[in-house]
Short mmCIF file of all heavy atoms in Angstrom, two decimals:
data_model
loop_
_atom_site.label_atom_id
_atom_site.label_comp_id
_atom_site.label_asym_id
_atom_site.label_seq_id
_atom_site.Cartn_x
_atom_site.Cartn_y
_atom_site.Cartn_z
N LYS A 261 -41.75 15.05 32.18
CA LYS A 261 -42.56 14.30 31.22
C LYS A 261 -42.54 12.79 31.47
O LYS A 261 -43.32 12.05 30.89
CB LYS A 261 -42.07 14.58 29.79
CG LYS A 261 -42.29 16.01 29.35
CD LYS A 261 -41.69 16.27 27.96
CE LYS A 261 -41.81 17.74 27.58
NZ LYS A 261 -41.25 18.00 26.23
N SER A 262 -41.66 12.35 32.36
CA SER A 262 -41.50 10.93 32.65
C SER A 262 -42.60 10.41 33.58
O SER A 262 -43.40 11.20 34.11
CB SER A 262 -40.14 10.69 33.30
OG SER A 262 -40.17 11.08 34.68
N PRO A 263 -42.64 9.10 33.82
CA PRO A 263 -43.65 8.53 34.75
C PRO A 263 -43.55 9.06 36.17
O PRO A 263 -44.50 8.92 36.94
CB PRO A 263 -43.35 7.02 34.69
CG PRO A 263 -42.81 6.81 33.31
CD PRO A 263 -41.95 8.02 33.05
N ASP A 264 -42.43 9.69 36.55
CA ASP A 264 -42.33 10.28 37.88
C ASP A 264 -43.32 11.43 38.06
O ASP A 264 -43.73 11.73 39.19
CB ASP A 264 -40.91 10.81 38.13
CG ASP A 264 -39.93 9.70 38.47
OD1 ASP A 264 -40.39 8.59 38.82
OD2 ASP A 264 -38.71 9.94 38.36
N PHE A 265 -43.66 12.07 36.95
CA PHE A 265 -44.55 13.22 37.03
C PHE A 265 -45.73 13.06 36.05
O PHE A 265 -46.64 12.31 36.32
CB PHE A 265 -43.77 14.52 36.78
CG PHE A 265 -42.83 14.86 37.91
CD1 PHE A 265 -41.49 14.49 37.87
CD2 PHE A 265 -43.29 15.56 39.02
CE1 PHE A 265 -40.63 14.79 38.91
CE2 PHE A 265 -42.44 15.87 40.07
CZ PHE A 265 -41.11 15.49 40.02
N PHE A 266 -45.70 13.74 34.93
CA PHE A 266 -46.87 13.76 34.05
C PHE A 266 -47.06 12.50 33.21
O PHE A 266 -48.16 12.24 32.74
CB PHE A 266 -46.82 14.99 33.12
CG PHE A 266 -47.14 16.27 33.82
CD1 PHE A 266 -46.13 17.10 34.28
CD2 PHE A 266 -48.45 16.65 34.03
CE1 PHE A 266 -46.42 18.29 34.94
CE2 PHE A 266 -48.76 17.84 34.69
CZ PHE A 266 -47.75 18.67 35.14
N ASP A 267 -46.00 11.72 33.02
CA ASP A 267 -46.10 10.48 32.23
C ASP A 267 -46.81 10.75 30.91
O ASP A 267 -47.87 10.20 30.61
CB ASP A 267 -46.84 9.41 33.04
CG ASP A 267 -46.60 8.00 32.50
OD1 ASP A 267 -45.90 7.86 31.48
OD2 ASP A 267 -47.14 7.05 33.10
N VAL A 268 -46.24 11.64 30.11
CA VAL A 268 -46.93 12.18 28.93
C VAL A 268 -47.24 11.14 27.85
O VAL A 268 -48.17 11.33 27.07
CB VAL A 268 -46.12 13.35 28.32
CG1 VAL A 268 -45.93 14.45 29.35
CG2 VAL A 268 -44.78 12.88 27.77
N THR A 269 -46.47 10.08 27.81
CA THR A 269 -46.75 9.05 26.81
C THR A 269 -48.05 8.33 27.13
O THR A 269 -48.89 8.08 26.26
CB THR A 269 -45.59 8.03 26.74
OG1 THR A 269 -44.39 8.71 26.38
CG2 THR A 269 -45.89 6.96 25.71
N LYS A 270 -48.25 8.02 28.39
CA LYS A 270 -49.46 7.31 28.82
C LYS A 270 -50.64 8.26 28.99
O LYS A 270 -51.80 7.89 28.73
CB LYS A 270 -49.19 6.58 30.13
CG LYS A 270 -50.32 5.65 30.56
CD LYS A 270 -49.92 4.86 31.81
CE LYS A 270 -51.04 3.92 32.24
NZ LYS A 270 -50.64 3.14 33.46
N PHE A 271 -50.36 9.49 29.41
CA PHE A 271 -51.43 10.47 29.67
C PHE A 271 -51.13 11.77 28.92
O PHE A 271 -50.64 12.74 29.50
CB PHE A 271 -51.55 10.75 31.17
CG PHE A 271 -51.78 9.52 32.01
CD1 PHE A 271 -50.74 8.96 32.74
CD2 PHE A 271 -53.03 8.91 32.04
CE1 PHE A 271 -50.95 7.84 33.52
CE2 PHE A 271 -53.25 7.78 32.81
CZ PHE A 271 -52.21 7.23 33.55
N PRO A 272 -51.41 11.80 27.63
CA PRO A 272 -51.04 12.97 26.81
C PRO A 272 -51.89 14.22 27.07
O PRO A 272 -51.46 15.32 26.74
CB PRO A 272 -51.26 12.48 25.37
CG PRO A 272 -52.31 11.40 25.51
CD PRO A 272 -52.02 10.73 26.81
N ASP A 273 -53.07 14.04 27.69
CA ASP A 273 -53.97 15.18 27.88
C ASP A 273 -54.25 15.45 29.36
O ASP A 273 -54.42 14.52 30.15
CB ASP A 273 -55.31 14.94 27.18
CG ASP A 273 -55.18 14.88 25.67
OD1 ASP A 273 -54.23 15.48 25.14
OD2 ASP A 273 -56.03 14.24 25.03
N MET A 274 -54.30 16.71 29.68
CA MET A 274 -54.79 17.18 30.97
C MET A 274 -56.05 17.99 30.66
O MET A 274 -56.05 18.84 29.78
CB MET A 274 -53.73 18.06 31.63
CG MET A 274 -54.15 18.72 32.92
SD MET A 274 -52.72 19.47 33.79
CE MET A 274 -52.13 20.64 32.56
N THR A 275 -57.15 17.73 31.38
CA THR A 275 -58.42 18.36 31.01
C THR A 275 -59.09 19.02 32.21
O THR A 275 -58.88 18.65 33.36
CB THR A 275 -59.41 17.34 30.41
OG1 THR A 275 -59.73 16.35 31.39
CG2 THR A 275 -58.82 16.67 29.17
N PHE A 276 -59.92 20.01 31.90
CA PHE A 276 -60.76 20.67 32.90
C PHE A 276 -62.15 20.82 32.32
O PHE A 276 -62.32 21.29 31.19
CB PHE A 276 -60.21 22.05 33.27
CG PHE A 276 -61.10 22.80 34.22
CD1 PHE A 276 -61.05 22.57 35.59
CD2 PHE A 276 -62.01 23.74 33.75
CE1 PHE A 276 -61.89 23.24 36.47
CE2 PHE A 276 -62.84 24.43 34.62
CZ PHE A 276 -62.79 24.18 35.98
N LYS A 277 -63.16 20.42 33.12
CA LYS A 277 -64.56 20.56 32.71
C LYS A 277 -65.33 21.20 33.86
O LYS A 277 -65.35 20.68 34.97
CB LYS A 277 -65.16 19.20 32.36
CG LYS A 277 -64.50 18.53 31.17
CD LYS A 277 -65.17 17.21 30.81
CE LYS A 277 -64.52 16.58 29.59
NZ LYS A 277 -65.16 15.30 29.19
N SER A 278 -65.97 22.33 33.57
CA SER A 278 -66.66 23.06 34.62
C SER A 278 -67.94 22.35 35.05
O SER A 278 -68.61 21.68 34.26
CB SER A 278 -67.00 24.48 34.15
OG SER A 278 -67.96 24.45 33.09
N THR A 279 -68.28 22.51 36.34
CA THR A 279 -69.52 21.95 36.88
C THR A 279 -70.38 23.01 37.56
O THR A 279 -71.57 22.82 37.76
CB THR A 279 -69.21 20.84 37.91
OG1 THR A 279 -68.36 21.36 38.93
CG2 THR A 279 -68.51 19.66 37.22
N LYS A 280 -69.76 24.16 37.91
CA LYS A 280 -70.48 25.20 38.64
C LYS A 280 -69.75 26.53 38.49
O LYS A 280 -68.53 26.56 38.46
CB LYS A 280 -70.58 24.82 40.13
CG LYS A 280 -71.30 25.82 41.00
CD LYS A 280 -71.29 25.34 42.46
CE LYS A 280 -71.94 26.35 43.38
NZ LYS A 280 -71.87 25.90 44.81
N VAL A 281 -70.53 27.62 38.40
CA VAL A 281 -69.95 28.96 38.30
C VAL A 281 -70.58 29.86 39.36
O VAL A 281 -71.80 29.89 39.50
CB VAL A 281 -70.15 29.57 36.90
CG1 VAL A 281 -69.54 30.97 36.84
CG2 VAL A 281 -69.53 28.68 35.82
N GLU A 282 -69.75 30.57 40.10
CA GLU A 282 -70.23 31.54 41.08
C GLU A 282 -69.93 32.94 40.58
O GLU A 282 -68.90 33.18 39.94
CB GLU A 282 -69.57 31.32 42.44
CG GLU A 282 -69.94 29.99 43.09
CD GLU A 282 -69.32 29.83 44.47
OE1 GLU A 282 -68.82 30.84 45.02
OE2 GLU A 282 -69.34 28.71 44.99
N TYR A 283 -70.83 33.88 40.90
CA TYR A 283 -70.72 35.24 40.39
C TYR A 283 -70.57 36.25 41.52
O TYR A 283 -71.10 36.06 42.62
CB TYR A 283 -71.95 35.59 39.54
CG TYR A 283 -72.12 34.69 38.34
CD1 TYR A 283 -72.73 33.44 38.46
CD2 TYR A 283 -71.64 35.06 37.09
CE1 TYR A 283 -72.87 32.60 37.37
CE2 TYR A 283 -71.78 34.23 36.00
CZ TYR A 283 -72.39 33.00 36.14
OH TYR A 283 -72.52 32.16 35.05
N GLU A 284 -69.86 37.34 41.24
CA GLU A 284 -69.70 38.44 42.18
C GLU A 284 -69.91 39.74 41.40
O GLU A 284 -69.21 40.00 40.42
CB GLU A 284 -68.30 38.42 42.81
CG GLU A 284 -68.02 39.57 43.76
CD GLU A 284 -68.82 39.49 45.04
OE1 GLU A 284 -69.23 38.37 45.43
OE2 GLU A 284 -69.04 40.55 45.65
N LYS A 285 -70.90 40.53 41.84
CA LYS A 285 -71.24 41.78 41.16
C LYS A 285 -71.52 41.55 39.67
O LYS A 285 -71.12 42.34 38.81
CB LYS A 285 -70.12 42.81 41.34
CG LYS A 285 -69.91 43.22 42.79
CD LYS A 285 -68.81 44.26 42.92
CE LYS A 285 -68.63 44.66 44.39
NZ LYS A 285 -67.54 45.66 44.56
N GLY A 286 -72.21 40.46 39.40
CA GLY A 286 -72.63 40.16 38.04
C GLY A 286 -71.59 39.56 37.14
O GLY A 286 -71.86 39.26 35.97
N LYS A 287 -70.37 39.34 37.66
CA LYS A 287 -69.31 38.76 36.84
C LYS A 287 -68.93 37.39 37.37
O LYS A 287 -68.97 37.16 38.58
CB LYS A 287 -68.06 39.65 36.84
CG LYS A 287 -68.26 41.02 36.24
CD LYS A 287 -66.93 41.67 35.89
CE LYS A 287 -66.00 41.79 37.06
NZ LYS A 287 -64.73 42.48 36.69
N PRO A 288 -68.53 36.46 36.48
CA PRO A 288 -68.06 35.16 36.97
C PRO A 288 -66.82 35.33 37.83
O PRO A 288 -65.87 36.02 37.43
CB PRO A 288 -67.75 34.38 35.68
CG PRO A 288 -67.58 35.42 34.62
CD PRO A 288 -68.46 36.56 35.02
N GLU A 289 -66.84 34.74 39.02
CA GLU A 289 -65.73 34.90 39.95
C GLU A 289 -65.02 33.59 40.26
O GLU A 289 -63.80 33.54 40.38
CB GLU A 289 -66.22 35.52 41.26
CG GLU A 289 -65.10 35.78 42.27
CD GLU A 289 -65.61 36.25 43.61
OE1 GLU A 289 -66.55 35.61 44.12
OE2 GLU A 289 -65.09 37.24 44.13
N LYS A 290 -65.80 32.50 40.38
CA LYS A 290 -65.23 31.19 40.67
C LYS A 290 -65.85 30.15 39.74
O LYS A 290 -67.07 30.11 39.59
CB LYS A 290 -65.49 30.80 42.13
CG LYS A 290 -64.81 31.71 43.14
CD LYS A 290 -65.09 31.24 44.57
CE LYS A 290 -64.41 32.15 45.57
NZ LYS A 290 -64.65 31.70 46.97
N VAL A 291 -65.00 29.35 39.15
CA VAL A 291 -65.46 28.26 38.29
C VAL A 291 -64.99 26.96 38.91
O VAL A 291 -63.79 26.69 38.99
CB VAL A 291 -64.92 28.40 36.85
CG1 VAL A 291 -65.39 27.22 36.00
CG2 VAL A 291 -65.37 29.71 36.23
N GLU A 292 -65.94 26.18 39.39
CA GLU A 292 -65.62 24.86 39.95
C GLU A 292 -65.71 23.82 38.85
O GLU A 292 -66.58 23.89 37.97
CB GLU A 292 -66.60 24.54 41.07
CG GLU A 292 -66.35 23.20 41.75
CD GLU A 292 -67.31 22.94 42.89
OE1 GLU A 292 -67.54 23.87 43.69
OE2 GLU A 292 -67.82 21.80 42.98
N GLY A 293 -64.81 22.86 38.89
CA GLY A 293 -64.86 21.84 37.86
C GLY A 293 -63.98 20.65 38.16
O GLY A 293 -63.34 20.57 39.22
#
Side-chain angles (χ1 to χ4, degrees):
K261 294 176 184 181
S262 77
D264 282 343
F265 290 95
F266 286 97
D267 198 358
V268 301
T269 300
K270 188 175 181 180
F271 304 103
D273 294 334
M274 175 169 59
T275 63
F276 176 83
K277 296 183 178 181
S278 66
T279 56
K280 179 182 177 182
V281 179
E282 295 183 13
Y283 299 83
E284 177 69 25
K285 296 181 179 179
K287 297 197 303 182
E289 183 186 48
K290 296 181 180 181
V291 178
E292 181 178 316

